[in-house]
């Protein structure tokens, strides 16, 4: 009899190329996603050492971090120049490196272009049970379809390009089980914000988290990708959700997904991956779905989460003295006073987008709230940035773009945008942004920017009221 | 990667604790396409002071840096190791490092020496006037004044640094095993190869 194994252990075991005596193993990488920021030096390294890319067929490159979200083509269909010379150089490097090494490349103006973590699953390039890496910590996202996916550094990017493997230490396993049914207005984003607030920003350090339970099973793939995306905000290198019928229905017919008899063989294999009854995790946390409210962050760590009905906490209320000091510093940065009701916090900027929340469901959820309403006067800047060209086209076919623009929100081209402000989309110093992204770090959305992480529906609610708002008040 | 066995020269007595990767190389230097030239951005905020150590006549081009606890904390950017290397630094001596930084350092041919604070204090004194000698083979740091401090290092990292081996060269020794894995994967799960529907 074989030992019962977890989903993580099954994927790990299936990818060991060579076991080393010190406990590390050479692990095969099934899919390598490449974007323009963390790859130029890796390609330069390959060139300097005269190496080639071992498996260009397992590699997919797409620019996303630096691309402007304003029009990329002029009226004649010619590419518009990119204003920032450094952004332009990174984009040009990818455009040159990918074809030179025979790597599939989605151009900045191609209809499929988008954020690498939106594009992977959407194209069926990311599949359950695969190992996926990318030089970006939110690679954890692909765990939503049951892939073991994690971010790597530039030397590792070069290592994977050259050898299609990585030397890794196995992680511990952590189960986060969300049982029950969430209430109205509570989305996947609220679930993961609540989880991050519960386990803390270092709660999953050294672990891979598997999200289980009826509330997770009930989520769509879009929602699962949102949850797994933020595994890293809880300290875990990767998140996982076991593939099931929802996953198969999502992937079937996608461009790179297996077809015909291959599809049946793939599904049979994917079904065998679920954690065996009796398998154990190193750690388990159980969360009651019914207790989760629409959530919002108040500080500069993603663990600084309160329900929208809550207040800004008093730093003295934390038991740990280092957390007290961190909270006091966060509040000074955020310009907030303890005891202020979250719903009284005014908002000047709205960002709906990022690899956490820029899929079609996110667009629909936000549009449902702004429909027939107008952006509040004190909201200076409100942008909606779909995660890919395909999401954008779908949203436009459903008329969602008009709903946003009629309400006074801007409808943009796909990319990372104000999630990390490497392109021109930035939140000004001292101003607040209700953002559907994943990091509320100091300066993340621009120097001095103040980020409140929320769901798309909550960001839409803030857009029309001009303050953080309990979305349930706006729901019919 | 250039092998590293013995390094002798002036040691920059920085001595600060919690030097984070933002101090080593500020974020705006991340928008580059090469590893080279990053030394210009290294310790930019400290070097804004015209009397800084890094640009002083005594320490310009020094191969050793002495620092306090938790060197290289913060963002995982590998640019921090590139910046140090480009500045000419081959050895950092500190009581502790962030895990990610010490891994990145070794990957880029930089030796992170761990020594207790008392040894650091003594080396800071010596570094003010005299060179310091680091020998990776014997795992010692010595001074012209008969000081001798032994340090520990993971044997795998030591070998990589001594032989100038990067991890890619090491993995290439497993080429046959990788090929065998690929062949088995193609046989067992042929549908894993991404083939675009045309
Ligand atoms: S959207 Fe943000 S978190 Fe996601 S890949 Fe882009 S920069 Fe990273």
């Amino acid at each position: 009899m074989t030992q019962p194994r977890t989903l993580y252990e099954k994927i790990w075991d299936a990818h060991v190329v060579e076991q080393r005596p010190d406990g590390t193993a050479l692990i095969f990488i099934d899919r390598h996603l490449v974007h323009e920021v963390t790859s130029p030096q890796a390609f330069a390294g390959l060139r300097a050492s005269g190496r080639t890319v071992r498996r260009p067929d397992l590699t997919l490159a797409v620019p996303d971090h630096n691309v402007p979200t304003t029009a990329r083509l002029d009226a004649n269909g010619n590419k518009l120049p990119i204003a920032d010379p450094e952004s332009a150089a990174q984009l040009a490097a990818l455009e040159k490196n990918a074809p030179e090494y025979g790597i599939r490349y989605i151009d900045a103006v191609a209809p499929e272009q988008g954020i690498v973590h939106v594009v992977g699953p959407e194209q069926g390039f990311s599949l359950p049970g695969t190992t996926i890496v990318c030089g970006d910590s939110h690679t954890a996202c692909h765990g939503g379809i049951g892939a073991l996916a994690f971010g790597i550094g530039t030397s590792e990017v070069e290592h994977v390009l050259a050898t299609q493997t990585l030397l890794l230490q196995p992680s511990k396993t952590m189960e986060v089980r969300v049982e029950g049914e969430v209430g109205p207005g509570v989305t996947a984003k609220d679930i993961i914000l609540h989880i991050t607030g519960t386990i803390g920003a270092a709660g999953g350090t050294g672990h891979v988290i598997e999200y289980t339970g009826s509330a997770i099973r009930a989520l769509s793939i879009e929602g699962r990708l949102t949850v797994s995306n933020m595994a890293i905000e809880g300290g875990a290198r990767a998140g996982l959700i076991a593939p099931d019928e929802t996953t198969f229905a999502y992937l079937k017919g996608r461009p790179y997904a297996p077809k015909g008899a291959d599809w049946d063989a793939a599904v049979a294999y994917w079904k065998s991956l679920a954690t065996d009854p009796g398998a154990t995790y190193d750690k388990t946390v159980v969360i009651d779905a019914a207790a989760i409210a629409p959530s919002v962050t108040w500080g500069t760590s993603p663990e600084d989460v309160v329900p929208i009905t809550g207040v800004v906490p008093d730093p003295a209320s934390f038991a740990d003295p280092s957390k007290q000091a961190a909270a006091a510093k966060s509040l000074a940065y955020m310009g907030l006073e303890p005891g202020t009701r979250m719903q009284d916090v005014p908002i000047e900027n709205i960002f709906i987008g990022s690899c956490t929340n820029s899929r079609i469901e996110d667009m629909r959820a936000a549009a449902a709230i702004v429909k027939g309403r107008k952006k509040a006067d004190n909201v200076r800047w409100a942008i909606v940035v779909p995660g890919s060209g395909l999401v954008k086209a779908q949203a436009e076919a459903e008329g969602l773009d008009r709903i946003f623009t009629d309400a006074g929100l801007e409808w943009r081209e796909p990319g990372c945008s104000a999630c990390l402000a490497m392109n021109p989309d930035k939140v000004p110093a001292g101003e607040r942004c209700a953002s559907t992204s994943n990091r509320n770090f100091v300066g993340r959305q621009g120097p001095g920017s103040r980020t409140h992480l929320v769901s798309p529906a909550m960001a839409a609610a803030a857009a029309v009221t001009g303050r953080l708002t309990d979305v349930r008040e706006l729901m019919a | 990667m250039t092998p590293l066995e013995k390094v002798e020269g002036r040691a920059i007595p920085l001595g600060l604790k919690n030097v984070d990767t933002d101090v080593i190389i500020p974020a705006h230097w991340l928008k580059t396409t090469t590893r080279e030239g990053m030394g210009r951005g290294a310790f930019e905020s400290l070097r804004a002071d015209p009397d800084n150590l890094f640009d002083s006549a005594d320490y310009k081009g020094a191969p050793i840096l002495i620092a306090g606890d938790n060197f290289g904390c913060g963002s995982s950017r590998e640019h921090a190791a590139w910046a140090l290397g480009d500045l000419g630094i081959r050895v950092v001596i500190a009581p502790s490092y962030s895990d990610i930084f010490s891994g990145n350092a070794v990957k880029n041919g930089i030796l992170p020496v761990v020594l207790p604070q008392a040894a650091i204090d003594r080396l800071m004194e010596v570094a003010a006037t005299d060179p310091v000698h680091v020998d990776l083979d014997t795992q010692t740091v010595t001074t012209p004044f008969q000081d001798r401090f032994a340090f520990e290092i993971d044997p795998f990292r030591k070998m990589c640094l001594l032989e100038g081996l990067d991890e890619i060269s090491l993995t290439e020794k497993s080429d046959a095993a990788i090929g065998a894995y690929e062949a088995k994967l193609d046989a067992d799960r042929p549908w894993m190869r991404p083939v675009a529907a045309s």
Side-chain angles (χ1 to χ4, degrees), chain A residues 150-174:
Chain A
F150 47 87
I152 55 176
T154 298
S155 281
E156 292 170 307
V157 170
E158 187 180 337
H159 192 279
V160 175
L161 288 171
T163 70
Q164 206 58 36
T165 63
L166 276 179
L167 191 61
L168 294 173
Q169 188 83 45
S171 298
K172 291 197 211 120
T173 54
M174 177 170 178

Side-chain angles (χ1 to χ4, degrees), chain A residues 30-31 33 57 60 104 106 112 116-128 130 132 142 145 147 221 225 247-248 250-259 263 266 270 390, chain B residues 191-197:
Chain A
D30 295 313
R31 300 288 188 266
L33 299 162
D57 61 320
L60 177 69
R104 285 190 183 87
I106 300 178
E112 306 83 23
V116 64
H117 308 313
V118 175
V119 169
E122 187 175 79
Q123 291 294 317
F125 190 75
S126 309
L127 294 176
T130 56
I132 303 179
H142 309 257
I145 56 157
I221 292 303
L225 292 166
T247 321
F248 311 146
Y250 172 90
L251 287 170
K252 191 163 187 177
R254 303 251 165 206
Y256 291 105
K259 310 274 171 338
W263 171 259
W270 295 336
L390 298 186
Chain B
W191 47 265
M192 288 275 281
R193 274 185 184 253
V195 183

